Amino acid sequence: MLHKILKIVALILSILGAVWLVRIILAGDTAILDSADLQDSLVTPFIYIAYLIFAIALVFVLVFVIKNLFTSGSSLKGTLIGLGAFLAVVVISFLLASGEETPMRDGEVLSASASRWVEAGIYAFYLLALIAVGAMVFSGVKKLAK
């Protein structure tokens, strides 16, 4: 029953998204940039549809992750260790980041705090990529040793 409802909701949202996308394409970029009314009638509903789809996906992911965490044989301890390790990487990245006010192309200024978070995100990406590559190399060497 729930599966059928989800299929119907997905179909409706897909059709709405496709209709608004076609309307946006037919209106053209310059017309939309020049007219606030077109932005409100074309782009804003398209953004709300995207927000709705994102919220639905996020809710279902969270519900099923929590459900599977407590019902399947997965270990809560292992999940918390993984979450803690991820948070440790974020904290280390944030501590490594300096963050300076940065002028942007449009004349605005990116605050030092926002700049620090951007830099922390980049550091976190590099640290996680390094850990992943290291794990793959370690796994390959371990297999070769056997």
Side-chain angles (χ1 to χ4, degrees), residues 2-83:
L2 180 63
H3 186 66
K4 288 182 182 181
I5 293 171
L6 288 176
K7 274 189 166 183
I8 292 170
V9 169
L11 180 66
I12 290 170
L13 289 173
S14 299
I15 291 171
L16 283 174
V19 166
W20 257 277
L21 179 62
V22 168
R23 288 182 63 200
I24 289 170
I25 291 171
L26 290 176
D29 293 345
T30 55
I32 292 173
L33 288 173
D34 294 340
S35 171
D37 290 335
L38 277 179
Q39 291 173 11
D40 288 340
S41 66
L42 294 178
V43 179
T44 302
F46 194 67
I47 292 171
Y48 285 135
I49 291 169
Y51 286 155
L52 181 63
I53 291 170
F54 179 70
I56 290 170
L58 186 64
V59 166
F60 277 108
V61 165
L62 290 174
V63 166
F64 286 114
V65 163
I66 292 170
K67 178 184 165 232
N68 287 337
L69 185 63
F70 292 111
T71 59
S72 68
S74 65
S75 166
L76 181 61
K77 180 181 173 185
T79 302
L80 291 176
I81 289 172
L83 183 61

Side-chain angles (χ1 to χ4, degrees), residues 92-137:
I92 290 169
S93 299
F94 187 76
L95 293 174
L96 290 174
S98 60
E100 300 172 7
E101 282 192 0
T102 307
M104 298 183 345
R105 290 183 186 168
D106 61 357
E108 297 288 323
V109 175
L110 184 65
S111 70
S113 173
S115 174
R116 187 171 187 184
W117 277 110
V118 169
E119 192 175 343
I122 293 169
Y123 285 154
F125 170 78
Y126 286 136
L127 282 172
L128 292 170
L130 185 66
I131 291 167
V133 168
M136 288 187 292
V137 168

